[in-house]
Amino acid sequence: MKNISTFPEGFLWGAATSAYQIEGAPLADGAGPSIWQRFSHTPGHTLNGDTGDVACDHYHRWREDIALMKELGLQAYRFSVAWGRIFPEGKGRLNEKGLDFYDKLVDGLLEAGIEPLLTLYHWDLPEALDDLGGWLNPDIAHWFADYGEAMYRRLDGRVKKWTTLNEPWVVTDGGYLHGVLAPGHSCHYEAPVAAHHLMRAHGAAVQAYRAFGSHEIGLVVNIEPKYPASDDPKDLAATNRADAYMNRQFLDPALLGSYPEEMKEIFGDAWPEWPAKDFDLIRQKIDFVGLNYYTRAVTCDGPDCLPVRAGTVRQPHKTHTETGWEVYPEGLSDTLLWLKKRYGDMPFYITENGSAFFDPPKPIHGRVIDPVRMDYLNQHLRAVRTAIEQGVDVRGYMAWSLMDNYEWSHGYAKRFGIVHVDFETLERTPKDTARYYSKIIQSNGAVLDEPFLPLSVHMRHG
């Protein structure tokens, strides 16, 4: 098929963040604490004991941040709402001041010509709900739907693209199975229960949206394509298990109405038999799927890697990010094509894609030169275009992240932003990648076809 020099008309270019990672002031104006407030303040859970108490101080600097987005030419901004700002106890009493913050943020975005994409849940469950069992309590589906309803009633119309959950796999794998993320549980029996109630909550929130909203709502998942390390049947079986556990566990029930068969093999007697009516709730019609893509895994049989019994083979002579993830843009094309093949024709958004590479703690002479990140952006956008050329309906791309921020248990050690943040002064400085992304947006992707030469090289001799 003939290459296209630009992306489809109306393709939406933006950047993404999440509430706890950037907002700071987690208890301001009557907000209730979240599980990340508790987790990060518990010694030993995060690098250097870092917390999100200040983060990027977006709660107070949102006007400045919107002005920066406008300067960069962003057309969209994906952000999440802190549930505890809206319902300090997770349910019941509504906190108007919390709603007012997101009211003003959305109005500010629209005044700047930037479309808001709102995520209801990006990992910061109200602590009060965790005390009631959190994602292990079946009632949480109704609590989440009530929270969603409050947001729809206030913002639908001004917000036209909603998502329920961000990366439910990370919530369960990190928070309930391995204990490296909030709420910090490590229980083989809890993980599938938490996963199921996340999906029930997703379905209930979509149901509520159909009653109170009139635009679009979807689900955001992280997909890491699995490639077998060899043709050995053990490696092939491990690859199937790993793919089911990470990539199909949440999309299959949402879009096909059942879990992958491999889940029973993975969890054994910890895998419950769920009632059929649960899948009637989970399988609500959604308007799009959001894809978060960072890397791939070359997978081998790993009998000691429980519960999936699959290991990952590090690829030599490849570029790896500061998080140890292989840079593999072809995996993004492969994933988009796989999504279309397995789940049919539907709209997709790249809701996160980005890289952590070393940046200095402070800009040098007012600049942050990051050519490796620029190349990452270029190659992954080319991969998106390849999938579009082959018939995948991709409607937008949200770079992760708008700015350096609190990277969960890594604290402030991993910089994913296209905008540099000096964590001492909180000064924002667009990196060379941000300037390059501006050119991509202005040309609707046409500059991707130009010989790629980092701006730092151009400017050094300018």
Side-chain angles (χ1 to χ4, degrees):
M1 186 177 293
K2 183 180 178 181
N3 285 343
I4 53 176
S5 61
T6 60
F7 281 67
E9 183 179 352
F11 191 85
L12 199 59
W13 300 95
T17 65
S18 86
Y20 191 76
Q21 291 181 273
I22 68 163
E23 286 181 357
L27 302 180
D29 296 324
S34 74
I35 55 174
W36 267 96
Q37 176 81 4
R38 176 156 57 191
F39 186 83
S40 64
H41 280 265
T42 303
H45 278 171
T46 66
L47 184 66
N48 301 319
D50 289 343
T51 74
D53 288 0
V54 177
C56 305
D57 196 30
H58 174 74
Y59 190 76
H60 298 111
R61 298 170 186 250
W62 60 270
R63 294 178 182 84
E64 172 189 344
D65 292 335
I66 290 176
L68 183 56
M69 294 181 223
K70 185 175 182 179
E71 176 191 338
L72 295 175
L74 298 188
Q75 300 167 353
Y77 174 53
R78 177 180 175 240
F79 65 96
S80 75
V81 171
W83 187 343
R85 291 200 194 278
I86 311 305
F87 290 100
E89 291 83 35
K91 57 189 178 76
R93 179 177 62 88
L94 186 70
N95 179 28
E96 285 291 339
K97 288 184 177 179
L99 272 170
D100 288 346
F101 170 70
Y102 296 106
D103 236 349
K104 292 183 291 186
L105 178 65
V106 167
D107 283 348
L109 290 166
L110 294 173
E111 288 168 10
I114 299 168
E115 180 168 0
L117 279 66
L118 190 153
T119 299
L120 290 172
Y121 187 73
H122 198 130
W123 308 357
D124 48 357
L125 185 71
E127 183 181 286
L129 295 186
D130 191 52
D131 291 341
L132 298 176
W135 293 111
L136 303 175
N137 188 328
D139 290 341
I140 199 167
H142 308 296
W143 303 335
F144 187 61
D146 290 345
Y147 156 54
E149 179 185 333
M151 299 308 301
Y152 309 148
R153 286 182 180 274
R154 178 62 72 96
L155 294 177
D156 192 59
R158 285 178 288 159
V159 174
K160 297 180 180 178
K161 291 181 176 61
W162 300 78
T163 60
T164 54
L165 307 174
N166 179 79
E167 298 184 349
W169 178 83
V170 177
V171 176
T172 58
D173 183 82
Y176 287 88
L177 184 63
H178 293 113
V180 296
L181 301 173
H185 298 193
S186 301
C187 182
H188 181 72
Y189 287 82
E190 287 186 358
V193 175
H196 188 68
H197 292 325
L198 277 157
M199 294 313 298
R200 290 179 58 253
H202 156 76
V206 175
Q207 269 191 343
Y209 186 73
R210 298 305 176 203
F212 298 102
S214 8
H215 298 282
E216 296 182 329
I217 191 164
L219 171 68
V220 172
V221 293
N222 58 303
I223 299 290
E224 185 181 277
K226 310 297 183 182
Y227 301 82
S230 76
D231 292 332
D232 186 309
K234 290 185 177 180
D235 286 349
L236 296 175
T239 302
N240 284 334
R241 289 193 300 272
D243 177 62
Y245 175 63
M246 188 168 186
N247 299 332
R248 289 181 272 131
Q249 182 182 178
F250 298 94
L251 282 178
D252 274 15
L255 299 175
L256 302 179
S258 62
Y259 286 110
E261 293 180 0
E262 294 92 341
M263 298 307 298
K264 176 66 175 176
E265 178 187 359
I266 291 167
F267 280 102
D269 64 359
W271 183 254
E273 293 296 330
W274 299 108
K277 63 181 177 61
D278 282 8
F279 296 96
D280 294 335
L281 175 63
I282 293 169
R283 193 184 182 184
Q284 301 295 312
K285 181 184 183 302
I286 57 176
D287 301 298
F288 61 88
V289 166
L291 166 63
N292 295 353
Y293 175 85
Y294 291 96
T295 189
R296 69 162 174 173
V298 177
T299 306
C300 64
D301 183 48
D304 297 327
C305 302
L306 299 175
V308 185
R309 305 189 312 284
T312 300
V313 181
R314 183 178 173 88
Q315 299 302 291
H317 315 302
K318 298 286 188 178
T319 301
H320 291 78
T321 69
E322 288 280 298
T323 49
W325 299 339
E326 180 191 353
V327 176
Y328 192 73
E330 300 95 321
L332 180 49
S333 302
D334 289 349
T335 296
L336 286 164
L337 290 165
W338 171 78
L339 286 167
K340 174 183 168 68
K341 180 179 179 181
R342 183 170 182 82
Y343 301 109
D345 287 313
M346 65 183 308
F348 297 98
Y349 289 87
I350 309 302
T351 37
E352 290 181 25
N353 176 239
S355 54
F357 290 111
F358 173 78
D359 296 311
K362 294 183 180 293
I364 299 172
H365 303 301
R367 285 189 57 205
V368 178
I369 301 170
D370 60 339
V372 183
R373 186 178 289 106
M374 293 169 65
D375 186 61
Y376 181 102
L377 178 67
N378 177 282
Q379 295 301 319
H380 283 78
L381 284 172
R382 285 174 174 269
V384 174
R385 194 175 63 185
T386 295
I388 293 172
E389 290 170 355
Q390 296 184 48
V392 184
D393 184 6
V394 186
R395 298 190 179 183
Y397 177 91
M398 306 295 123
W400 184 269
S401 175
L402 174 64
M403 64 185 108
D404 296 333
N405 54 43
Y406 179 75
E407 188 51 37
W408 307 112
S409 56
H410 294 295
Y412 295 96
K414 308 299 181 187
R415 292 180 175 269
F416 278 90
I418 61 173
V419 173
H420 181 278
V421 176
D422 181 331
F423 290 116
E424 291 184 357
T425 67
L426 298 178
E427 181 180 1
R428 280 82 155 132
T429 303
K431 303 176 187 180
D432 280 6
T433 294
R435 301 301 183 193
Y436 180 53
Y437 191 37
S438 286
K439 294 179 180 292
I440 293 170
I441 295 170
Q442 289 168 13
S443 69
N444 199 29
V447 299
L448 295 172
D449 293 324
E450 297 177 2
F452 180 76
L453 190 62
L455 298 182
S456 54
V457 177
H458 284 299
M459 298 177 73
R460 187 178 298 135
H461 302 289

